[in-house]
Structures are given as structure tokens and as C-alpha cells.
Amino acid sequence: MHFWLRCCFFLSLLLLDAAASSRHILLLQSYNKGLVWSDDISKGVEEVFAPYKNYELTTEYMDTKKNEDAVYLKELYELFEAKLKNQTFEVVIAADDFAVNFALEHQHTLFEGTPLILCGVDKRGPGSDVEEIKRRGLSLVLESKEIQENVRFIRELFPNLEHLYIINDLTHTSLLINHIYEEEAQKLRHEGVRVTVNLEGNVEHILNDFRALSPNSVVLFGSLFLDKQGMYVPYYQVNDLINASPVPIFSISDSHLSKGVIGGYLLRGISQGTEAAKIALAYLQGGKVDTTPVVAPAEWIFDYQMLQKYAIPTHKLPKEALLINPPESFFDKHRKLVEFAFVLTPFILFFLLIAIINIYQRHKMAKRLLAKSYLEQVLLGNIQSSVFWIDNKGIIKGCNVSFCELAKRDHHEIVGRSICDVFTLLCHMPTKAQLFNLEEIEFERNDSFYLLKSKTFLDEDGKDGGLVTIITDITEKKQLEINKQFIIQQSKLSEVGEMLSAIAHQWKVPLVELSAVAHKMQHYHLKDKLKAEDMKHFYDVIMTQTIYMGETIDGFRDFVRPSTTPKAFNIHTGIQEVLAILSSSMKYNNIAVVYKNHLHRGDMLFGYPNEFKQVILNIINNAKDAILEARAKGDKTCGTVHLNLYELEETIGLFVEDDGAGIDPTTLPDLFKPFFSTKSKGDGFGLYMAKLIIQNKMHGKISIEALQQGAQVCIQLPRSKEGSCENSLT
């Protein structure tokens, strides 16, 4: 029951992950990247979706601050129609009036069935049809450009205000609120304050006006993107203009905060993006589209450095106001001094306590050394190998229990004596020279074999203190090597048996032919019909068959002769020689052999050609046995073995595939182990020897793969370095 519950749990996780991976959101910006307002909206959206790694956000910019005529918008629609042709979105966020109106106008052509979330629409002078938005049931985030609140705050902060200079432009969004500036200007004029509303966007004109401002003047900055001729005013040029003002500049948005404006009750782009993204996230996580209009509130934000510049006290600011670029605290101003004090204090305490700690450490050191000495003795005593160490004069300084047993002496009879007195074998030249030259030494003692290795150790002064020597019993390893040679010989004998069987098949045809010639000669002789031309014919036939049989024997002799050293050989020729030997056997068993050479960079390899041919012979015989096994089960009446040579990157790949009985996948990890065989009379040497030859001797790779019908053996032999068989067939 618990198992099925866990399965259902993991399946649900996979389904949730698959669903989450398809989340794709489009953010449609009215303006251009690099515009602080647009960048802040993007930042707000990105921060909301940042924790969700499987949500993909795509941002498109309409760039309407620089171009907003009807022809451009028509071409922009055609561009978006092409870009969105093969894309689908889970939700679309449209920012500011141009993007909002564009999304509303083309909802059923570009965004059919996709929820729209609209933001950047002014709540007082909307440039979009809010009622239409509500009728369509779309989400709406309203912005609030608090012109009246900022004018009221300026009037309270500067009771002796003589002149308010207002800057705004004639862009589409500015035209929606310019009347509010005029209304506020008219109120101030009734109070005796001079007000200038500059909507022309002429930077030079504004700079000239700045020079004429009186000390009791204030500037209220709205936006400045286009001049009166419709030309785009760069952002950096606007910043230069703000910094050129001799009087305080307040703003209604945070686009130029930290660039010279003091601040105010500011509309924030990041708030617009955050609110819109929250609505989108709630919908994507399974909620409904919230159609209740949301107002992203303005915030009181001020630049402390600009307040200081114009001597504006912070206590006159609203209580909830946020200060940026605040003054450095004592810790910030004197960070290095404080950090130094924190660092120095532990040292002072350390030196005060050093005497007590030193006495305590001296007391503990004796106990530690005693415990360490005991631990080392225990560790050395549990090491099976014999260990001893001597100084440069050959005097034994210590040893473990195993060495005492090997030397057949007690510990007190060994330590302090010369190694020559204790273990005389090591004091005979050249063995002694080998010992001090740190060479490995193999020796035999009491019918056992040992390997000796030495390393130098340093004394308390860091100088050469002598040798540490380890003697390891390698008798079992030696026996394994002997057994390995026996296995190789057994495998060789098995291959010779296969070869003799192949030769028997090869010789049947010429022997039958020779027998027929002999009977025919006898018949002609008895009938007295034997002529000279008949004798020549019989002679030619006999010699041809005799030469063929002799070549067969020569080929067998070359095949079984081991390759003592690696050499260059032709892999194609080697495979053909194996196929020639096995041709009669394969025909006799009604098995087709299809061989194709796809190499185009040469057939030459460097290795052991005869051993390689033995591997191929073994693999083809295994394929033959698998086909015969399938035939015995009644699965098929004939069979085919495919051999293909392929070019890999720096290697040659040989693939041998059969359509026989196949391989049980559970046996694949054991196929190359010695003595493991799936055949009833198999010895388990063939594939083990194939692996030794291919991987150990020829530095290649060999693997077996179970196919739907049969099996495939992959052999990879490097031209210059090892590679991989993966993805080699196409």
C-alpha cells in the first residue's frame, strides 16, 4: 500500500512539474528598454517570478515614446502578428496606455483566449477605456500621478514660495493630465504665486528659464520625452537638465530619483509591475482572473543628499517618508576602526589568557603523546603487511607485530639492532642498494612471495631521517597470475578446437574432389581410355586442391601463432581472413554472413592482429550458437550475422549483430566475467578473453547489447586514443 502511495505521489510531482514547465508569460511594454519607467515595471514583474524557475518571461517593447503615428502602429501589429504566430502564452501583461490599447484592440487576433492584465492606466485621466476593460472582465492596475498632493506639499514646505516652474511634455500620456497642471497653477496664481507651465520640451529654453529663477522658486518635474517638434529627448540630457537647476526640483514619479530630484509623492514603475505580476501569478497557480481594479499607490520618497543640498529639514517630511542615500552612521563612517577594534579585542584577551593556556597545554601534551603512541602501536599491529623503519645507518627504530612474526623475533630483539642482523636477506648486494635506492624488491621466503617498498621519512629538523619499509605477501597475487595464464591457455585450446572444426569443413570439399579424381582415373585405366590430356586434367585438379589444403593449413598456423609485439595491421583484411576460415562452417549450418566496410580514413590499426582475429572468431561462433539455439526452439529455419565497420571520431567501431536467441538482460553485467557462461557446455573463457585482449592489450572497448531479436557486440579500437561507442550508428 505504501509503495502505491509513493508511486502516486511521485507521479503527481512529475505531472505538476510538466505543467509548470509550460508557463510562458508575455510582458508588452509601451516604451523602450533603457527608459527607467519601463525598466522599473520589468524589474517588478521579474522579482515576482524570480523564485519560479519554470516560468519563462518574454518582454516586447513598442517604443512609442519615439514613434506613435498610425502607420507605425499598423506595421507594429504586423510585426507582432508574425512574431506571435508560433508562440502561445499563459498570460499577457500590457504596461501603459499604448500597450493597453494595443492589447484591447487586437485581443481577438493576437491574444485570443489568453487572459490580459493591464497596468499603467492613470486613475484620474485614463488614456484607455476603463469601462470597456471592466466590461471585458480584464484585470486592471491603475496608476496615480499625485499632482495635487505634490503641489500641496510644496506649498506647505515653502510658505514663502514665489515661483513654481512646472515641466511636462506633449506625449500621449502627458496630454491626459496636462489640464491638472493648469488647474493647480490657476489655484496658486489666486494665492499670489507665480506659476510657469512649460510643455514645449525645449531644453535650451528651460535652461534659460532656470537661470532667471528667483531664490524662492521651486521646480515640479513631470516628464520630458518629446519636444514640441516631436523629437525624442534622451534620458541623459534630461538628467543634465535636472542637475542644472539652481532651485529644488520635485517630481511626480521616481524615474529621475537619485539623478538630481529631491523626491515627492512618487508614482513607481516597480509597484505597477509588482501588482500586475501578483495577479498573473495567482492566476497561473490555479486561481481566477481578478477583475477588481487595483490602484498601485504612490509613495513618499526623498533623496537625503538633495535635502541636505537645499537645507530642507527631514522633520518636515511626512512620517511615512522613505529616505534614500541616507547619512552614514558612526559605524559606517568609522567602519575600519570598529572592525579593527573587534579584531584586536580577541587578541588582547588571547594574550591575557596565553600563560594559563600554555600551562594547560603542556599538561595535556604529555597525555596526548602517550595516547598517540598507543594508537600508532594499535594501528601498526592491525596491519597485515610487515612494517619497519630504520635510520640512515640501518638501525631499526621500530616495527609492527607482523614484522616480528616474519623475522621470528620479539619486538625487544629487533628494535635498536642493525637490519642486517635481523633480516639478513636485505643486506646482500645488490638487494641492500635497491633498498636504499627506494626500489621495489620481490623475494621468496619459505615458499611464499613478498614485495618490499620503501619511502624516506623526515626527522624533527626536516632532514632525511631514514626509511619506512612495507613488506607485503603477494603469494595469492602470483597464484592468480598463474591461474590467469592457465585460463588464457584453456581459451586458446578452445579456439584451436573451433579452428580444427573449421578446417575439417574446409577440407571436406577438396577431399571429395580428390576422391572423385582417383575413382575417375581408375575407371579410365580399366577401360584403357586414359589419355595424356586426361592425365594433365587430373594432375591440375589434384594440384589445385592440394595447394588449397596447404594454404588452409598455413592460414591456421598463422592464426594460432601469438603476436608477441604490437604492430600495424589491416582490420579489413583480418576480418576477411576470419570469414574465409568460417565460410564452410557457416554455409554448412545455413547461416548467412553479411560484411560491410564503411571506413573512409584507412583500415590500418596498431595492435595484436592474431589475438584480434581470435576475438572475432569467438564472437562469430557465439552468434552461430545463438542462431542454432533459436533454430532448435523452432523460432527460425535460417539465420544472418551482420558485420559492419564504422568511422568514429578517433576510433574504428566494429559491430557484430545476429538474429539468434538473444541475451537475457539480467545476465549482461556478468557476461565478461571468467567462468560465466549461458551455454550448457560453455567454459566461460571466450568473452572474458575477448575483454582482456580488446581492453587490456589493445586499449579498446567491448560491450554487448540485447536487441529485440538477437544481440549486438560493439568493439571499439582507437587510432590514437580511446573514444566511445555511444551514438555511433545512425
Side-chain angles (χ1 to χ4, degrees):
M1 184 66 181
H2 291 293
F3 171 78
W4 290 109
L5 287 174
R6 286 196 297 268
C7 290
C8 293
F9 174 72
F10 285 117
L11 180 60
S12 64
L13 287 180
L14 290 173
L15 291 174
L16 286 173
D17 184 65
S21 64
S22 64
R23 300 306 190 191
H24 197 178
I25 306 103
L26 173 64
L27 172 58
L28 184 61
Q29 290 275 20
S30 291
Y31 311 129
N32 55 286
K33 184 176 179 60
L35 192 66
V36 175
W37 174 258
S38 297
D39 290 348
D40 283 349
I41 292 178
S42 294
K43 183 179 179 181
V45 174
E46 290 165 0
E47 287 180 352
V48 171
F49 286 114
Y52 305 91
K53 302 303 180 185
N54 292 327
Y55 285 26
E56 182 177 348
L57 176 66
T58 297
T59 305
E60 296 285 352
Y61 296 91
M62 296 178 65
D63 204 17
T64 54
K65 281 294 184 188
K66 302 175 183 177
N67 201 339
E68 58 183 55
D69 62 73
V71 176
Y72 171 73
L73 293 176
K74 180 177 179 299
E75 293 175 348
L76 196 61
Y77 167 76
E78 294 173 353
L79 174 62
F80 276 106
E81 185 180 34
K83 292 181 72 171
L84 303 179
K85 183 177 181 181
N86 298 316
Q87 297 186 64
T88 57
F89 297 96
E90 294 289 322
V91 67
V92 175
I93 300 173
D96 295 309
D97 288 332
F98 277 100
V100 168
N101 293 332
F102 184 83
L104 289 173
E105 182 180 356
H106 304 297
Q107 180 182 9
H108 301 298
T109 55
L110 294 180
F111 312 113
E112 180 66 33
T114 304
L116 297 181
I117 299 172
L118 313 176
C119 66
V121 178
D122 194 282
K123 73 175 184 179
R124 287 189 173 88
S128 304
D129 191 340
V130 176
E131 295 303 321
E132 174 64 16
I133 294 172
K134 292 180 180 178
R135 187 186 65 77
R136 294 194 190 184
L138 303 179
S139 299
L140 179 62
V141 179
L142 296 169
E143 65 181 34
S144 179
K145 295 178 179 177
E146 302 294 346
I147 299 173
Q148 296 94 330
E149 189 69 17
N150 277 288
V151 172
R152 181 196 61 77
F153 174 74
I154 291 171
R155 192 75 178 92
E156 291 179 358
L157 190 62
F158 298 95
N160 298 322
L161 180 66
E162 296 178 357
H163 186 188
L164 179 64
Y165 192 91
I166 299 174
I167 300 173
N168 210 37
D169 58 17
L170 297 174
T171 57
H172 174 77
T173 52
S174 295
L175 290 173
L176 299 173
I177 59 172
N178 279 341
H179 68 281
I180 301 177
Y181 285 114
E182 294 290 356
E183 292 171 1
E184 292 301 309
Q186 191 62 32
K187 293 177 184 178
L188 290 175
R189 291 186 183 108
H190 287 309
E191 297 176 10
V193 179
R194 179 187 172 196
V195 181
T196 301
V197 180
N198 190 323
L199 306 177
E200 296 181 354
N202 189 314
V203 175
E204 292 298 328
H205 185 190
I206 295 173
L207 286 172
N208 290 331
D209 289 347
F210 278 0
R211 297 185 186 100
L213 290 175
S214 63
N216 289 330
S217 299
V218 172
V219 176
L220 178 60
F221 183 85
S223 63
L224 180 55
F225 293 103
L226 297 178
D227 60 18
K228 195 172 184 180
Q229 286 72 36
M231 299 301 293
Y232 179 72
V233 181
Y235 184 77
Y236 72 88
Q237 193 172 356
V238 176
N239 286 336
D240 292 342
L241 174 66
I242 291 172
N243 283 283
S245 173
V247 298
I249 296 185
F250 291 82
S251 180
I252 64 169
S253 74
D254 65 351
S255 296
H256 294 276
L257 199 61
S258 293
K259 304 296 182 182
V261 299
I262 291 177
Y265 199 39
L266 306 181
L267 174 66
R268 306 197 69 193
I270 195 169
S271 300
Q272 292 287 313
T274 300
E275 295 297 330
K278 286 180 180 178
I279 297 172
L281 182 62
Y283 165 73
L284 292 172
Q285 292 181 338
K288 295 182 179 180
V289 178
D290 190 353
T291 59
T292 304
V294 176
V295 178
E299 297 180 54
W300 289 105
I301 306 177
F302 297 91
D303 187 336
Y304 181 83
Q305 294 181 356
M306 300 309 297
L307 292 173
Q308 291 294 102
K309 178 180 178 180
Y310 293 104
I312 300 175
T314 57
H315 69 269
K316 290 188 176 182
L317 304 179
K319 293 182 179 180
E320 66 273 22
L322 173 68
L323 289 180
I324 65 169
N325 300 321
E328 289 185 334
S329 63
F330 175 83
F331 179 78
D332 292 327
K333 288 182 179 180
H334 307 284
R335 179 181 297 272
K336 291 185 178 180
L337 179 61
V338 174
E339 290 177 351
F340 179 74
F342 275 107
V343 172
L344 190 60
T345 300
F347 283 100
I348 296 173
L349 294 176
F350 173 78
F351 285 115
L352 290 175
L353 298 173
I354 192 67
I356 299 174
I357 295 174
N358 185 45
I359 295 172
Y360 177 76
Q361 290 295 333
R362 286 174 177 270
H363 177 71
K364 297 289 291 182
M365 184 63 68
K367 291 184 177 181
R368 288 178 183 173
L369 289 175
L370 184 62
K372 184 177 180 181
S373 176
Y374 177 73
L375 177 62
E376 289 175 351
Q377 290 298 324
V378 172
L379 292 175
L380 288 172
N382 284 280
I383 295 176
Q384 293 183 352
S385 298
S386 301
V387 181
F388 67 90
W389 50 101
I390 60 177
D391 61 18
N392 291 322
K393 295 180 180 180
I395 304 301
I396 300 176
K397 309 302 289 184
C399 66
N400 67 347
V401 176
S402 178
F403 182 74
C404 293
E405 294 173 353
L406 182 65
K408 297 182 179 180
R409 295 172 183 264
D410 292 333
H411 188 270
H412 69 275
E413 296 177 317
I414 295 175
V415 177
R417 299 183 62 183
S418 171
I419 187 63
C420 295
D421 297 336
V422 177
F423 212 71
T424 56
L425 176 67
L426 298 179
C427 288
H428 297 296
M429 300 300 290
T431 306
K432 187 174 182 180
Q434 291 175 324
L435 174 66
F436 281 91
N437 288 334
L438 306 181
E439 298 180 17
E440 293 185 0
I441 303 171
E442 285 192 17
F443 62 91
E444 184 178 357
R445 181 184 176 92
N446 299 329
D447 298 326
S448 296
F449 295 92
Y450 297 91
L451 176 65
L452 181 148
K453 295 182 179 180
S454 298
K455 292 288 184 182
T456 58
F457 68 88
L458 303 179
D459 60 15
E460 59 273 12
D461 297 325
K463 298 179 180 179
D464 184 0
L467 299 179
V468 175
T469 302
I470 300 177
I471 302 175
T472 306
D473 189 337
I474 59 171
T475 305
E476 185 177 349
K477 181 180 178 182
K478 284 285 188 181
Q479 188 60 47
L480 287 175
E481 290 181 356
I482 294 171
N483 293 341
K484 181 178 177 182
Q485 294 300 321
F486 173 74
I487 292 172
I488 294 173
Q489 186 62 28
Q490 287 290 97
S491 176
K492 193 71 174 180
L493 291 174
S494 175
E495 292 167 1
V496 169
E498 295 286 350
M499 290 295 299
L500 289 174
S501 176
I503 290 174
H505 283 292
Q506 294 282 65
W507 276 16
K508 280 183 180 180
V509 173
L511 286 173
V512 170
E513 187 71 21
L514 291 173
S515 176
V517 170
H519 281 85
K520 199 169 185 179
M521 288 178 64
Q522 185 183 26
H523 176 73
Y524 276 32
H525 175 68
L526 292 175
K527 296 294 184 179
D528 198 21
K529 294 181 180 181
L530 196 60
K531 299 178 183 179
E533 57 269 21
D534 294 327
M535 286 297 296
K536 183 179 184 303
H537 172 70
F538 293 145
Y539 173 80
D540 291 340
V541 172
I542 291 170
M543 290 306 297
T544 299
Q545 298 302 327
T546 303
I547 292 170
Y548 172 75
M549 295 173 72
E551 289 176 346
T552 302
I553 290 296
D554 290 339
F556 168 69
R557 184 180 65 249
D558 292 338
F559 188 88
V560 299
R561 180 187 297 120
S563 303
T564 57
T565 57
K567 62 181 180 180
F569 71 95
N570 190 300
I571 186 173
H572 173 70
T573 303
I575 294 172
Q576 286 184 320
E577 290 175 359
V578 175
L579 295 181
I581 292 172
L582 294 176
S583 60
S584 297
S585 174
M586 302 302 277
K587 288 180 182 178
Y588 175 79
N589 288 287
N590 194 24
I591 297 174
V593 179
V594 180
Y595 167 57
K596 293 183 180 180
N597 183 352
H598 303 279
L599 302 179
H600 55 81
R601 286 197 290 162
D603 306 331
M604 298 304 295
L605 290 179
F606 191 78
Y608 299 86
N610 287 347
E611 280 77 355
F612 170 73
K613 288 187 282 188
Q614 291 164 18
V615 171
I616 304 306
L617 174 71
N618 182 277
I619 291 172
I620 295 177
N621 278 329
N622 283 346
K624 179 188 75 174
D625 293 341
I627 293 171
L628 294 178
E629 181 184 346
R631 190 179 297 169
K633 295 178 182 178
D635 295 343
K636 61 199 305 124
T637 58
C638 58
T640 305
V641 178
H642 292 273
L643 290 89
N644 288 281
L645 277 176
Y646 286 97
E647 289 281 2
L648 306 181
E649 291 183 0
E650 295 296 333
T651 59
I652 290 178
L654 171 61
F655 298 85
V656 182
E657 180 182 334
D658 67 74
D659 54 0
I663 300 173
D664 183 356
T666 61
T667 66
L668 284 175
D670 301 319
L671 288 179
F672 292 103
K673 295 180 179 179
F675 307 109
F676 180 84
S677 177
T678 58
K679 303 175 186 177
S680 59
K681 296 183 179 180
D683 53 23
F685 294 150
L687 289 177
Y688 172 66
M689 289 304 304
K691 182 178 180 181
L692 287 179
I693 292 170
I694 295 300
Q695 294 190 181
N696 293 5
K697 297 192 70 174
M698 301 188 70
H699 307 292
K701 290 186 178 180
I702 182 170
S703 61
I704 298 179
E705 179 184 358
L707 304 179
Q708 187 174 2
Q709 179 65 48
Q712 177 183 263
V713 178
C714 169
I715 296 176
Q716 181 183 3
L717 295 173
R719 293 184 187 276
S720 58
K721 62 180 180 180
E722 293 185 14
S724 172
C725 277
E726 297 177 4
N727 303 321
S728 57
L729 291 176
T730 57

